[in-house]
C-alpha cells in the first residue's frame, strides 16, 4: 500500500510512535449527532469514541448491521444493500485487537464501509454489477481500491445495489434497479428515484447504514445520487484512484470515489483510496499529485477564490435555481469572487461521448471478466446479451439492453471512428472546455447546480433527469465535488464544485468551507411521498 497520503495527515507518525490518537478534529466544530446517534456520526466522532474506549469497531459494525435489517430489509425497505459481508464482524474484531495493541492504521481504522457491487472483493461476497449473469461469482482478488481500504483498516461490511451494469444497459433504464438487487428507494421520498448508478451507496449513506461508501462514476454516477440523496460525493481526477478490479464501462472516464455525510469524511476516505497501482498505468500520471486533503479541512477556504458560475447549467427548474442562487450568496459571504460565465462547447461531445463508452465497454468488460472472473458463465458482451435473452423474465421485465447490443456491434479500439470520438471528447471537454473557461476568467473552480431533485420512479417511461452538471468534468476526467445545498419540497439538491485536473485539495477546501457555513444536510424521515404543499421542515 502507498502510505504517503497517510504520512501527510500525520497517521503513520502517530502509529510508529505507538499513539492511539490518530485524528484531530477538523478546524470547524464537528457536526452534531443526528437522530441515529453514533450511526449518523462521522469518522471523527466514531474514532474519538473508540479511542476513549466508549465504542468498539465490533459494536459499531453490529449496530450498522442491525440498522440494515431494520431500515433496509424491513421498515421502509430501502433495498440499498445487495449483500452483507459474512466476515464483517470478524474483521471488526481484528481491528479492535490491533487498536488494543496500539496499532492504529489511520483514520479509517475500524470504520464500517460499503462498496458498490461493481468493485471486486476477493472474499466470500459476489461482484456482479447487479447482473444475474454474475450472481454468485466471486472475484479472483480485490480491486485495488478495496485493497487500499482494507490496508487502511476499514471494515467492509457489504455491497450496495446499483443501476445494473452501471446504467449502461438501456436507453430507457430505471436508475437504481438491477436484476439481482431490485429497486433501491429514495430515503427522502420512497416513491422517488435515487438516480444512479451509485444508487445504493447514496441511499445507504443518507440513511445511516454505514459511515462511508464507495461509488463509481463514468458520467454522473457518483455526484447525481449524492446530490439527490443529500450527501457529499467526490468524483476524483481520472488516474488519482485505480480502476483495476472495477467492472467497467469505459477506461477513459471510469473512476471510483467516496460518498459520505460530510466533506471531512469524504476527504479522509479519498486519501485512503489514492495510490499508484502497477496494474493501472493511468495512476502513474497521478503519482505525487494527491493533495493534503486533511489540511484542506479548514475555515476560510473560499476567501479570495475566483469561482465561475456556469450559467448554462441553470434554468431546468426555477425552485432549484432559487436554492442555488442562495448558495451563491453564501459563497460571496465567505469571501468568494463570483464570475458569471458559461462552459463552452458542451454540445460538441454528447454523441462522441456515447460512442467512446460503447467501444470501451465492449473491450473493457471482456478484459475484466478474463482477469477477475475467469470462472464466470459469461466471458464477453455477447455472452451477457445471450444470458439476458435467455432469462428475459428476470433481467428484461421493465426495459431492454439496447446499449449492450450497440456496444457488441462496435469494432476494437483501433477503429478510427473510436479514436476520432475520443480525441473530440478530450478537445472540447478539456482544452476548449473547462481549461478554456478557467484560463480566460482566471478561475479557481466552477460551480453550478449538480442536478434537479429526485423524480418519481417510472418503469414505463424510464428516467427523466432534471438537468445535470456532470458531463464536463466526467468527459474531461477532472474532479467534481457535490455538497448538500438545500431542498426543493423536502428533496435534497446539491451544489457542484468542478476544477482542473488534480485540484481535489482546493475543491475540498472550498466545499468544506461552504458546507460548514451552511450545514444544510438533514437526516431523511422515509416518507412514502413528498407533500408538495409544504416546505421542508413543516409539520
Amino acid at each position: 500500500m502507498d502510505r504517503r497520503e497517510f504520512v501527510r495527515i500525520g497517521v503513520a507518525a502517530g502509529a510508529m510512535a505507538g499513539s492511539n490518537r490518530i485524528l484531530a478534529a477538523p478546524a470547524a466544530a464537528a457536526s452534531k449527532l443526528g437522530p441515529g446517534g453514533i450511526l449518523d456520526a462521522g469518522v471523527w466522532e466514531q474514532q474519538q469514541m473508540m479511542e476513549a474506549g466508549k465504542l468498539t469497531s465490533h459494536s459499531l459494525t453490529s449496530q450498522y448491521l442491525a440498522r440494515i435489517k431494520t431500515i433496509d430489509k424491513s421498515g421502509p425497505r430501502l433495498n440499498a444493500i445487495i449483500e452483507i459481508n459474512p466476515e464483517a464482524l470478524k474483521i471488526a474484531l481484528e481491528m479492535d485487537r490491533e487498536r488494543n495493541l496500539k496499532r492504529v492504521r489511520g483514520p479509517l481504522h475500524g470504520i464500517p464501509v460499503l462498496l458498490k457491487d461493481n468493485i471486486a472483493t476477493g472474499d466470500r461476497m459476489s461482484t456482479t454489477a447487479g447482473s444475474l449473469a454474475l450472481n454468485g461469482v466471486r472475484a479472483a482478488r480485490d480491486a485495488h481500491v478495496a485493497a487500499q481500504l482494507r490496508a487502511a483498516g476499514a471494515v467492509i461490511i457489504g455491497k450496495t445495489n446499483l443501476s445494473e451494469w452501471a446504467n449502461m444497459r438501456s436507453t430507457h433504464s430505471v436508475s437504481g434497479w438491477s436484476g439481482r438487487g431490485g429497486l433501491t428507494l429514495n430515503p427522502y421520498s420512497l416513491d422517488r428515484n435515487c438516480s444512479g448508478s451509485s444508487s445504493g451507496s447514496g441511499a445507504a449513506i443518507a440513511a445511516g447504514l454505514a459511515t462511508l461508501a464507495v461509488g463509481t462514476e463514468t458520467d454522473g454516477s457518483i455526484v447525481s445520487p449524492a446530490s439527490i440523496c443529500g450527501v457529499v460525493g467526490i468524483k476524483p481526477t481520472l488516474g488519482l484512484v485505480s480502476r483495476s478490479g472495477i467492472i467497467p464501462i469505459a477506461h477513459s472516464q471510469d473512476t471510483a470515489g467516496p460518498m459520505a455525510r460530510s466533506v471531512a469524511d469524504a476527504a479522509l476516505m479519498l486519501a485512503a483510496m489514492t495510490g499508484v497501482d502497477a496494474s493501472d498505468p493511468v495512476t502513474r500520471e497521478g503519482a505525487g499529485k494527491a493533495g493534503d486533503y486533511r489540511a484542506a479541512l479548514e475555515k476560510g477556504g473560499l476567501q479570495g477564490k475566483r469561482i465561475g458560475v456556469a450559467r448554462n447549467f441553470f434554468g431546468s427548474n426555477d425552485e432549484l435555481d432559487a436554492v442555488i442562487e442562495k448558495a451563491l450568496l453564501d459563497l460571496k459571504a465567505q469571501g468568494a469572487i463570483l464570475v458569471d460565465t458559461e462552459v463552452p462547447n458542451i454540445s460538441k461531445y454528447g454523441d462522441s461521448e456515447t460512442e467512446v463508452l460503447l467501444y470501451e465497454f465492449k473491450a473493457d468488460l471482456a478484459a475484466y471478466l478474463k482477469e477477475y472472473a475467469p470462472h464466470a458463465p459469461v466471458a464477453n458482451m455477447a455472452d451477457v446479451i445471450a444470458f439476458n435473452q435467455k432469462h428475459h423474465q428476470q433481467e428484461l421485465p421493465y426495459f431492454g439492453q439496447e446499449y449492450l447490443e450497440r456496444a457488441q456491434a462496435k469494432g476494437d479500439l483501433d477503429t478510427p471512428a473510436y479514436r476520432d470520438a475520443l480525441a473530440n471528447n478530450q478537445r472540447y471537454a478539456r482544452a476548449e472546455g473547462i481549461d478554456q473557461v478557467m484560463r480566460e476568467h482566471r478561475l479557481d473552480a466552477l460551480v453550478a447546480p449538480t442536478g434537479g431533485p429526485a423524480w418519481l420512479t417510472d418503469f414505463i417511461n424510464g428516467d427523466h433527469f432534471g438537468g445535470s452538471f456532470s458531463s464536463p468534468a466526467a468527459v474531461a476526467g477532472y474532479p467534481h465535488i457535490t455538497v448538500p445545498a438545500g431542498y426543493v419540497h423536502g428533496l435534497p439538491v446539491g451544489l457542484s464544485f468542478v476544477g482542473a485536473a488534480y485540484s481535489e485539495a482546493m475543491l475540498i477546501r472550498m466545499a468544506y468551507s461552504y458546507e460548514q457555513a451552511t450545514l444544510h444536510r438533514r437526516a431523511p424521515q422515509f416518507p412514502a411521498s413528498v407533500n408538495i404543499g409544504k416546505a421542508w421542515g413543516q409539520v
Side-chain angles (χ1 to χ4, degrees), residues 345-368:
N345 297 315
I346 60 174
S347 65
K348 294 183 178 179
Y349 50 82
D351 292 340
S352 59
E353 178 190 10
T354 301
E355 280 296 286
V356 168
L357 301 191
L358 293 171
Y359 273 99
E360 293 186 2
F361 192 17
K362 179 183 179 180
D364 294 353
L365 177 60
Y368 169 87

Side-chain angles (χ1 to χ4, degrees), residues 112-458:
V113 171
L114 289 162
L115 304 183
K116 186 176 177 181
D117 186 36
N118 60 350
I119 300 173
T121 53
D123 53 19
R124 292 165 59 187
M125 291 188 289
S126 303
T127 304
T128 71
S131 173
L132 291 172
L134 294 176
N135 193 26
V137 175
R138 298 177 183 173
R141 65 181 186 279
D142 275 349
H144 187 265
V145 165
Q148 290 282 91
L149 291 171
R150 290 191 204 274
V155 178
I156 298 174
I157 66 170
K159 294 194 174 180
T160 56
N161 195 25
L162 68 160
S163 310
E164 187 175 311
W165 296 115
N167 226 5
M168 194 63 179
R169 205 193 82 178
S170 174
T171 55
H172 293 84
S173 65
V174 173
S175 289
W177 184 89
S178 70
R180 180 184 178 218
L183 178 68
T184 295
L185 306 184
N186 190 314
Y188 289 88
S189 183
L190 299 176
D191 58 351
R192 290 182 180 264
N193 204 271
C194 290
S195 188
S197 62
S198 303
S199 317
S201 295
I205 292 306
L209 304 185
T211 313
L212 302 166
V214 180
T216 67
E217 176 162 327
T218 305
D219 189 335
S221 287
I222 289 174
V223 296
S224 183
S227 172
I228 278 177
C229 291
V231 299
V232 175
I234 301 180
K235 184 207 82 77
T237 303
L238 187 75
L240 189 66
V241 174
S242 173
R243 302 162 297 181
S244 295
I246 299 174
I247 297 178
I249 291 179
H251 61 266
S252 64
Q253 292 183 205
D254 288 352
T255 182
M259 300 175 77
R261 288 182 289 275
S262 71
V263 174
D265 285 359
L268 292 171
M269 190 180 200
L270 179 63
M273 294 169 66
T274 62
V276 175
D277 174 13
S279 299
D280 186 357
V282 75
T283 60
R284 299 189 196 110
E285 300 174 16
K289 295 179 181 177
D292 189 342
Y293 306 135
R294 174 67 184 90
L297 303 174
E298 296 177 342
K299 294 180 180 180
L302 287 162
Q303 184 65 44
K305 294 295 187 292
R306 289 180 61 84
I307 298 178
V309 181
R311 287 293 177 185
N312 50 336
F313 289 91
F314 287 66
S316 64
N317 181 301
D318 290 343
E319 292 175 283
L320 168 65
D321 285 353
V323 171
I324 301 303
E325 291 295 344
K326 174 60 171 64
L328 298 180
L329 294 177
D330 293 329
L331 296 178
K332 290 180 69 175
Q334 293 296 307
I337 302 166
L338 302 186
V339 181
D340 276 356
T341 187
E342 293 188 352
V343 180
N345 297 315
I346 60 174
S347 65
K348 294 183 178 179
Y349 50 82
D351 292 340
S352 59
E353 178 190 10
T354 301
E355 280 296 286
V356 168
L357 301 191
L358 293 171
Y359 273 99
E360 293 186 2
F361 192 17
K362 179 183 179 180
D364 294 353
L365 177 60
Y368 169 87
L369 292 171
K370 181 178 181 180
E371 184 171 357
Y372 284 87
H375 48 293
V378 292
N380 50 45
M381 188 72 70
D383 288 349
V384 173
I385 292 169
F387 178 93
N388 290 343
Q389 291 170 339
K390 182 177 180 181
H391 300 87
H392 64 275
Q393 290 185 332
Q394 294 80 29
E395 278 288 356
L396 307 175
Y398 304 117
F399 49 87
Q401 52 181 343
E402 299 89 353
Y403 279 136
L404 302 186
E405 292 164 347
R406 287 170 60 183
Q408 176 58 26
K410 297 297 183 184
D412 59 30
L413 299 186
D414 290 326
T415 305
Y418 162 71
R419 292 188 171 187
D420 291 345
L422 182 60
N424 184 81
N425 289 352
Q426 295 176 345
R427 173 185 176 183
Y428 289 116
R430 294 179 184 175
E432 298 181 35
I434 292 174
D435 294 346
Q436 178 177 313
V437 68
M438 293 189 69
R439 181 181 63 254
E440 289 179 351
H441 295 279
R442 296 177 289 111
L443 302 176
D444 296 300
L446 293 161
V447 296
T450 308
W455 58 91
L456 290 168
T457 296
D458 185 349

Side-chain angles (χ1 to χ4, degrees), residues 492-513:
V493 292
L495 176 69
S496 283
F497 295 80
V498 166
Y502 301 106
S503 63
E504 281 83 358
M506 181 183 293
L507 295 182
I508 288 169
R509 185 171 289 109
M510 288 185 273
Y512 180 77
S513 294

